[in-house]
Every structure is written in C-alpha cells, then in structure tokens.
Amino acid sequence: MNTPIRKIIHIDMDAFFASVEQRDNPELRGKPVAVGGSRARGVVAAASYEARRYGVHSALASKIAAQRCPQLIFVKPRFEVYSAVSRQIREIFHAYTDLVEPLSLDEAYLDVTENKIGMPSASIIANQIRARIHEETGLTASAGVSFNKFLAKIASDMNKPNGFTLITPDVAEELVAGLVIEKFHGIGKVTAAKMQSMGILTGADLRERSEEELVRHFGKTGRYYYRIARAQDDRDVQPHRIRKSIGSERTFEVDLTEEEIMLQELETLAKEVAQDMERLQTTAKTVTVKIKYFDFTQNTRSKTYLSEFRSAAAIYTIARDLLRTPQLPQYPVRLLGISVSSLLYQHDKQEGYQLTLEF
C-alpha cells in the first residue's frame, strides 16, 4: 500500500507587527512604518512593506533606517496585542486541523492531509484560511502549499504579500534546482557564504555534491542539505513539540557601544521571549544572555534560580544584571540574545501552583 502524499501548508503573516499597527491606526496606512526603536537610536523590530521599499528591514539600526527613509514613522511595539491577534489566528488554524506547529507569533505549519472539514484540496483550505484571517483580523497572510515542510515554507515566501503558491511533486525538483542558495530555508547567511565560496550558488550546484562531502563540510546538517537539494523532507508537523529552550536574538547593523541602547534591545528581546513563553504555557528557571562582539567573538552569561518565572519584567531584570556582570561589554556589540531554559510546561504543573519570581 502506497503512503499518501502529505499536504502541508505554511502560513506566514505579512509584515505582522507593522500591519497590526497600520490596522489599528488608520493614519499609518499606506505609509512607511517601523515598529521598535526611535529616530535617534535603537533597532527596527519590523517594517511595513512601504518602508521595505526604501531598504528598511528588521534588525536595521533605527538611525540608518531614518536616513534611508526620512519620512519613516517609528511606533512602539505592543507585544500583548500581537500575541492576542496570534491566538485569534491559531484558532482559525485549529478549525481545520489539530496538526498545527507554530514557529512564531506570525507563522505556522499545518498538516491537512486529513482535516476536520473533509476537504481533499489543501489549496482550497489554505485560501479559506487566508480569507478568514482577513475577515476576522483585518490582516493579510501568505500561504505556501506542498508535500513537505521545506517546500511549503519556500512557497509561502514566493508571492508575498497576500500571496499563494502551490508546489506540486512534478515541478519540485526543477524549482529547487533553480533557487539561489540564500533562498533555501534552513541555510543562513554564514552557511550560504561558505557554500558560495565552495561554488555552490544554486540548488542545482548543491545537488551535485555528495552526502559525504556535505557532512564533511557542514556536519550532520549536511544530510539535511543533501535531501532538500532533491526536494526531500520527511519532517512531521509537530503540534506538541517540546522545546528545551526559548530565545530571541538580534544582529545590529551598527555595533552597540552605549549601555542605554543595549538595555533597550534587551527589553525588546525579553518581551519577545515572554510572549513565546505565554503562547507555549511554560515557565523557566534559567536565563542566558548571548553577546557577540564586533570581531565575531562571543560569550554567554547565565543564571539559574530555584523559583520559576515567565514575565517580561523578570526576564529583562535578570538579563540586565547578566549584561552588567562581571562588567558591561568592553567592546562594540554586534548581536545580543536572550534565551530561557529549564522549562516547565503548564500541563506538567500541579493544580494550584503559583509563580514566585514575577518582578
């Protein structure tokens, strides 16, 4: 008996944070908007499509963003609002399938091979979901549909914003062969640069390399690269994936040297981590701060508590202390990150449990 071809959808909200701000403030619609930072300092957390036309993007220093787009409007992030909208969207997903794997507040995989409405067409389901998202939230989403997660993710990025792309088995290998290597999901900038130095510029180039060679150069991840070059990906959609850590980090276009700006960035990262913790219904006992310097050297600083925490204020306070201990970074900082670990999920807790480190 043949295994049925899977039907995987990847939904990706369009410029999510910025779109929520434009939805809630009509005066921002049609204008270049940056969420996070300020005209003088900080870093852009998200940019509207109007701003992206000027080269404004997430992780860009606010000062440079303002230079590229003098009419750019900076808006303070409202993570509690983004989280609430994300929950609305997730409820829509679960109307069609329980096999939903959230990747962040604004994107998720869905396996609709078998689904709650008995619809054989994943394309129809994807477009119904997009229509419902727009009707219920006023926001647009892009969707990719294919027979595995890798291709569904690639597809959702091909026709943004408010787009839909289907990649069927008969065109998959040819499409992957023509992709430039930096468009491959799972291949970051550093790995892409290494591949390019090896003469691997496209999917076709990647497919010419043996699995042994890729493992030799890239470790066990080389096996994944070998498979995706052939449009193969057998990873399941995991609705109950247990994560051992939750984190967020940001690379800055301009290295940071001032404590005040570093603390602003840590506060934003703490809010993002806290939102993910709330979504996953988990608490933590350990906070780790990652610091990467201008010369790409890095260190991490961690602290573990007996009591659990999950508020943004608690995470930020711990991260702030770690940044200052044993001393503030003495060299320009190009990346900051916060992660939490020693996680305990809500369903593992005894009834009546109370958090004791919410400061």
Side-chain angles (χ1 to χ4, degrees), residues 90-348:
R90 202 150 298 132
E91 287 178 6
I92 295 172
F93 295 160
H94 281 280
Y96 294 87
T97 178
D98 288 328
L99 296 179
V100 177
E101 180 182 337
L103 302 179
S104 62
L105 290 176
D106 62 343
E107 62 175 318
Y109 289 113
L110 294 76
D111 187 331
V112 296
T113 310
E114 296 181 4
N115 54 81
K116 294 180 179 180
I117 64 171
M119 168 59 67
S121 170
S123 297
I124 290 176
I125 291 176
N127 283 312
Q128 283 186 7
I129 289 173
R130 291 176 58 237
R132 283 191 58 180
I133 288 173
H134 186 259
E135 179 183 352
E136 297 181 25
T137 72
L139 304 172
T140 62
S142 295
V145 172
S146 196
F147 55 92
N148 64 43
K149 291 168 74 172
F150 169 71
L151 291 171
K153 172 72 173 177
I154 294 294
S156 70
D157 198 41
M158 292 180 70
N159 195 24
K160 290 180 72 70
N162 198 23
F164 169 82
T165 301
L166 169 67
I167 299 177
T168 54
D170 57 318
V171 303
E173 287 196 50
E174 182 180 356
L175 184 147
V176 170
L179 278 181
V180 292
I181 209 67
E182 56 265 34
K183 290 290 186 180
F184 275 61
H185 176 57
I187 297 180
K189 290 182 180 180
V190 174
T191 302
K194 181 175 180 179
M195 287 187 176
Q196 289 162 348
S197 72
M198 296 168 57
I200 302 173
L201 306 180
T202 67
D205 297 331
L206 183 60
R207 192 165 59 194
E208 290 178 358
R209 306 303 175 106
S210 69
E211 184 173 5
E212 291 75 17
E213 180 183 3
L214 292 175
V215 170
R216 186 166 65 251
H217 285 284
F218 302 101
K220 63 181 181 181
T221 312
R223 296 188 179 91
Y224 171 73
Y225 299 151
Y226 179 83
R227 292 180 60 79
I228 61 175
R230 291 157 177 76
Q232 299 171 2
D233 180 11
D234 56 6
R235 294 174 300 156
D236 293 327
V237 172
Q238 299 180 17
H240 304 297
R241 181 178 59 180
I242 300 298
R243 294 171 59 173
K244 296 182 179 180
S245 66
I246 299 169
S248 184
E249 62 183 40
R250 190 153 291 136
T251 300
F252 313 115
E253 184 131 334
V254 176
D255 297 336
L256 306 186
T257 57
E258 298 180 23
E259 179 185 9
E260 182 181 354
I261 300 179
M262 294 182 200
L263 293 179
Q264 287 178 1
E265 297 305 331
L266 284 182
E267 186 173 18
T268 298
L269 293 169
K271 289 178 180 178
E272 293 175 0
V273 171
Q275 292 297 329
D276 275 347
M277 292 177 70
E278 180 183 356
R279 173 172 59 82
L280 295 171
Q281 288 295 290
T282 186
T283 58
K285 290 185 177 181
T286 301
V287 172
T288 300
V289 170
K290 176 181 176 182
I291 305 168
K292 184 179 289 186
Y293 298 102
F294 73 103
D295 59 357
F296 290 88
T297 60
Q298 69 179 49
N299 65 30
T300 57
R301 305 172 179 181
S302 296
K303 188 165 186 178
T304 299
Y305 289 82
L306 294 176
S307 301
E308 299 161 44
F309 51 84
R310 72 175 175 197
S311 73
I315 297 166
Y316 167 72
T317 300
I318 298 168
R320 180 196 63 197
D321 292 344
L322 288 169
L323 185 74
R324 293 171 171 170
T325 306
Q327 62 183 352
L328 285 169
Q330 300 299 294
Y331 304 101
V333 172
R334 76 182 312 269
L335 175 148
L336 283 174
I338 296 177
S339 62
V340 295
S341 54
S342 304
L343 304 181
L344 182 62
Y345 288 84
Q346 193 69 45
H347 54 73
D348 292 331

